Amino acid sequence: GGVAMALCPGDTTQWEDIQRRLGNFAPKPKEVPQRELDKALVEAAEKVDALETCNLQELAKVEDDVEEDTLEAYRRRRLAELKVARKAAKFGEVLRVTRTNFVHEVTEASAEGQWVAVLMFVDASSACHMIMQPWAEAARRFPAVKFMQGVASEIVENFPDASTPAVLLYRDKDCARQLVGIDAWGGARCSVDCVEWVLAREGVVETELEEDPRQRPAGSGWRRGAPARRGDEGSEEDEDDDGRGD
């Protein structure tokens, strides 16, 4: 009869065990209990908590200090997160909307928590022209939001010119907010930062802006993340009462 062979991975025959003892076979790989694997994973994760916020370039720099398997796991996860972010960032430009495609492009498109921001304008209005460029810049800055625009009368029949610009914010197939007039966006000071600030207040985007840019003179070189000019804690509340019209 032939030599009996092991049928399952990890199983050995008596003959193979004898050969190993004689040094003819490589030693059988030692099995590591699952609890030890779990413990090692936890310890590795504790060592690399700082990797949570690393980008791919920073991950490459710390390769020497971290176990390769752990680093690779983080790299894979970060790549997956980037793919998700890219998938979310599917817009990036202002799309046109009219009455005929409004339900499909706005109402239905706002399902499952998707924000759709619609700017209604008239060509002859100087107030509308103040927000057009900042609106386009905001679309590029926040590609996860679906920015749209259309001539007001082509969206809502007989919409009054005096009520433009009007912005409709849709989410979950419902109009969550209407903002009428240019004053809400900073009037003549309207900039992409003003659009960001207002949309952040409505929960549409996240912002790092620390001061309301609508309060500052136009073209004053506003910087995001700059500390407030006044040192007191109540400066934001004070600014809210600085005669800003609603």
Side-chain angles (χ1 to χ4, degrees):
V3 176
M5 298 300 292
L7 297 177
C8 299
D11 288 352
T12 57
T13 63
Q14 190 176 12
W15 180 80
E16 288 171 327
D17 288 340
I18 292 167
Q19 295 302 315
R20 279 200 174 83
R21 280 200 295 276
L22 294 173
N24 295 335
F25 281 10
K28 183 182 173 184
K30 183 187 173 188
E31 284 188 33
V32 183
Q34 185 61 42
R35 65 178 179 277
E36 286 188 28
L37 284 174
D38 292 342
K39 185 184 172 195
L41 283 170
V42 169
E43 286 174 355
E46 286 171 351
K47 284 180 192 170
V48 291
D49 271 348
L51 295 183
E52 285 288 352
T53 54
C54 281
N55 61 32
L56 293 177
Q57 287 82 5
E58 289 166 341
L59 280 176
K61 287 180 189 172
V62 293
E63 277 181 346
D64 295 339
D65 303 324
V66 181
E67 288 290 336
E68 193 173 336
D69 289 349
T70 307
L71 195 73
E72 188 55 37
Y74 268 87
R75 192 192 303 280
R76 281 198 302 272
R77 197 172 82 191
R78 293 294 286 166
L79 283 168
E81 287 169 355
L82 284 170
K83 283 179 185 172
V84 169
R86 278 198 206 101
K87 190 176 177 184
K90 53 191 170 185
F91 303 109
E93 62 180 348
V94 180
L95 305 170
R96 291 297 293 239
V97 62
T98 63
R99 193 179 303 120
T100 54
N101 66 356
F102 191 93
V103 171
H104 178 68
E105 294 291 344
V106 178
T107 312
E108 291 177 0
S110 69
E112 299 179 10
Q114 173 65 55
W115 279 105
V116 181
V118 183
L119 169 63
M120 297 167 63
F121 68 93
V122 292
D123 284 321
S125 164
S126 59
C128 290
H129 284 278
M130 290 175 190
I131 194 174
M132 300 290 275
Q133 186 59 35
W135 194 252
E137 290 176 28
R140 289 192 291 273
R141 186 176 286 184
F142 298 104
V145 175
K146 187 175 186 180
F147 283 83
M148 307 200 77
Q149 69 185 35
V151 176
S153 61
E154 292 178 6
I155 297 173
V156 178
E157 202 170 358
N158 299 320
F159 192 86
D161 290 358
S163 295
T164 61
V167 170
L168 311 177
L169 301 177
Y170 270 75
R171 192 183 196 200
D172 295 324
K173 298 189 177 183
D174 190 35
C175 185
R177 187 88 159 91
Q178 297 180 50
L179 296 158
V180 174
I182 193 64
D183 288 347
W185 306 93
R189 300 171 179 171
C190 184
S191 66
V192 63
D193 282 343
C194 295
V195 173
E196 176 177 330
W197 181 267
V198 175
L199 293 180
R201 283 180 60 153
E202 300 298 337
V204 178
V205 301
E206 292 184 6
T207 184
E208 294 175 6
L209 300 175
E210 295 178 2
E211 289 181 61
D212 185 345
R214 299 172 301 175
Q215 302 291 340
R216 301 171 70 87
S220 61
W222 207 94
R223 293 196 315 276
R224 66 182 51 235
R229 285 193 172 177
R230 279 184 271 165
D232 56 60
E233 288 291 323
S235 62
E236 258 189 76
E237 290 174 318
D238 293 342
E239 286 177 11
D240 277 348
D241 295 330
D242 266 359
R244 182 177 61 201
D246 283 329

